[in-house]
Amino acid sequence: MNLKGFLVLKSCCIELYVKRERMKEIVILNPNRVVFGEGSMQRFVGDFVEKGFKRLFLLSITELSHALVPFLNTLTSQGVEIVIDESIVGEPTFDDFNKTLEKAIAFNADSVVGIGGGSVLDVAKLVAAQLKNTQTLDEIKGIGNLKERQIYVACIPTTSGTGSEVSPNAIFVNELGEKVGIISPFLVPDAAYIDPVLTVSLPKSITAATGIDALTHCLEAYTNKFAHPFVDLYALEGVRLIAKYLKRACDNGSDLEARAQVALGSMYGGMCLGPVNTAAVHALSYPLGVEYHIPHGLSNALLLPYVMEYNIETDASKYERIAEVLGAEKKATSKETALEGVKIMKQLIADCGLPLTLSEAGVKEESIPQLAEGAIKVQRLLKNNIREIAVEDAVAIYQSAF
Ligand SMILES: [Fe+2]
């Protein structure tokens, strides 16, 4: 090759190098052991005994008191002492957490297990972390501030929603009624046991709301400003599974096939939370919890279609893919297909028996400016949204959802 040819080749290579999109780095932190499937509870008991722990602090829910007896009997017959705490019933405050931690310290627990919804699991994870940690709650709030966890923690979800059993997140309500996240690799549990059988007795309204929450985790990861091909796999499959099976799980709580598929989608959603996380739906839903005590999953359901409509203006192709996964027919343009996806989402929410507007959920129109002020403070999630949201945009979204 002569010099001229070499220079042409070199400039092509440089151009290729400059034009290609750089693959972003991603860090995936999942529990060391994830056990999924019917009968996972049994596996948990065997694994726990093998670990050799003797003082188990178990956070659970009263609804499971009877169902857990045989499992707990097996543990006690193996010499495990157990203290059961069923005090976490709603979204936990830091005060709830402190009281629970005191009980775990008094018991001198050598291990912590959470069996319940996201609130119970979040508390279990943080109790395990704070049993031996000298940092105060103020020091560990936010992202990456918690520096250690010495105590083993396993999580066993009884809802298909938060994905807390595989995520590094724990969400609490502070003294002002605001939701505060503690996010740390040390909050990824050591083990997660996802047994769809445990979700069978969930009432329809909770199945619906938690299921839409899980679907939102997946959707907001795929459409996220920080989306990554690694996570897209889980995100799109999670959207597909939940959209396909949630209505069946709502209509017949004993439909174990539907329960298992929704639980799988929910776990995928949890796996999206650590590396990518959520965006505007979650940011705008938090003030509904604060001002109106609307449960987290329902708050998301009330806003999801309207945030989708808002975001489609910035990246219709992302939402076109979501629409395809939801089963929409291809239309003439990406935007038209994407909007079909919104229609399907609204139908799914209605089919699951959830309200579709803020007014139906009891929100007053005059509180919208205050809700928007609250949402705009949740920058840790709004920064992930593909379209910028200023306070007036938040007002417009709440208004379209009203
Ligand atoms: Fe959520």
Side-chain angles (χ1 to χ4, degrees):
M1 185 186 296
N2 60 22
L3 180 63
K4 195 176 165 197
F6 171 75
L7 289 174
V8 168
L9 182 65
K10 190 179 169 201
S11 70
C12 285
C13 288
I14 290 170
E15 200 177 325
L16 272 175
Y17 180 78
V18 171
K19 273 187 179 167
R20 81 178 175 88
E21 201 174 319
R22 186 173 162 267
M23 176 69 82
K24 283 178 285 191
E25 182 187 74
I26 191 155
V27 178
I28 308 291
L29 293 167
N30 286 330
N32 285 334
R33 174 162 290 226
V34 177
V35 180
F36 184 95
E38 288 174 43
S40 303
M41 252 322 272
Q42 199 61 53
R43 167 86 62 176
F44 156 72
V45 171
D47 287 353
F48 190 86
V49 169
E50 232 172 61
K51 290 256 170 212
F53 296 118
K54 293 296 175 203
R55 301 183 70 77
L56 166 61
F57 188 73
L58 177 68
L59 283 115
S60 186
I61 51 175
T62 49
E63 292 85 344
L64 276 183
S65 297
H66 288 298
L68 288 181
V69 169
F71 300 108
L72 301 184
N73 283 347
T74 308
L75 290 176
T76 47
S77 71
Q78 298 290 323
V80 180
E81 258 190 79
I82 307 171
V83 161
I84 303 174
D85 184 277
E86 295 173 344
S87 63
I88 304 298
V89 287
E91 296 187 359
T93 63
F94 283 118
D95 198 36
D96 296 329
F97 167 76
N98 282 327
K99 285 179 187 152
T100 312
L101 179 64
E102 274 170 30
K103 292 179 217 165
I105 291 171
F107 175 56
N108 193 23
D110 65 5
S111 49
V112 178
V113 171
I115 303 181
S119 301
V120 169
L121 304 189
D122 284 1
V123 175
K125 296 195 300 184
L126 200 62
V127 164
Q130 290 299 85
L131 261 166
K132 301 280 182 196
N133 187 12
T134 54
Q135 291 175 281
T136 64
L137 277 180
D138 278 336
E139 287 168 341
I140 63 173
K141 286 172 191 168
I143 301 172
N145 297 321
L146 174 68
K147 297 296 180 222
E148 65 168 348
R149 171 171 59 82
Q150 294 180 28
I151 299 291
Y152 173 91
V153 62
C155 286
I156 304 171
T158 58
T159 61
S160 296
T162 64
S164 176
E165 68 278 5
V166 292
S167 85
N169 300 1
I171 310 291
F172 292 85
V173 178
N174 71 9
E175 50 292 341
L176 301 172
E178 296 162 343
K179 297 222 182 174
V180 176
I182 299 175
I183 291 133
S184 160
F186 298 106
L187 291 183
V188 177
D190 294 292
Y193 297 85
I194 299 121
D195 190 339
V197 175
L198 294 177
T199 66
V200 161
S201 57
L202 269 187
K204 180 177 178 177
S205 60
I206 298 180
T207 302
T210 51
I212 296 291
D213 182 31
L215 191 155
T216 308
H217 296 155
C218 296
L219 188 146
E220 293 212 285
Y222 182 73
T223 56
N224 202 289
K225 202 190 249 181
F226 301 97
H228 192 284
F230 190 111
V231 174
D232 290 349
L233 278 177
Y234 293 104
L236 283 175
E237 180 62 359
V239 170
R240 188 187 74 80
L241 286 173
I242 299 169
K244 184 170 176 189
Y245 290 99
L246 185 60
K247 181 179 180 304
R248 258 175 67 179
C250 287
D251 289 345
N252 175 11
S254 304
D255 182 341
L256 253 176
E257 188 198 355
R259 288 288 192 188
Q261 300 290 2
V262 174
L264 191 57
S266 166
M267 184 183 75
Y268 288 161
M271 286 173 167
C272 297
L273 289 175
V276 176
N277 214 352
T278 59
V281 178
H282 273 70
L284 269 72
S285 83
Y286 281 167
L288 295 176
V290 173
E291 300 297 328
Y292 288 96
H293 303 290
I294 296 175
H296 175 69
L298 176 55
S299 304
N300 284 328
L302 289 167
L303 291 160
L304 177 59
Y306 309 99
V307 173
M308 287 171 80
E309 281 168 351
Y310 178 83
N311 281 347
I312 282 169
E313 299 299 327
T314 292
D315 191 344
S317 65
K318 281 261 176 184
Y319 284 89
E320 180 183 27
R321 186 78 188 97
I322 291 286
E324 284 167 10
V325 167
L326 291 173
E329 274 182 31
K330 211 164 172 52
K331 299 281 174 186
T333 65
S334 293
K335 186 176 170 182
E336 283 175 71
T337 311
L339 289 170
E340 274 300 301
V342 178
K343 265 193 216 165
I344 293 173
M345 189 64 76
K346 284 182 181 172
Q347 190 62 52
L348 174 67
I349 292 167
D351 284 347
C352 291
L354 297 174
L356 267 175
T357 61
L358 294 176
S359 51
E360 278 178 79
V363 174
K364 297 205 164 44
E365 194 167 12
E366 54 268 29
S367 65
I368 285 179
Q370 195 183 344
L371 294 171
E373 289 294 338
I376 221 71
K377 286 184 195 158
V378 194
Q379 285 299 321
R380 77 178 173 87
L381 299 181
L382 286 179
K383 72 171 173 37
N384 299 340
N385 202 61
I386 50 168
R387 186 172 173 193
E388 293 267 319
I389 296 190
V391 71
E392 57 274 19
D393 302 317
V395 167
I397 295 170
Y398 284 122
Q399 231 130 28
S400 61
F402 187 72

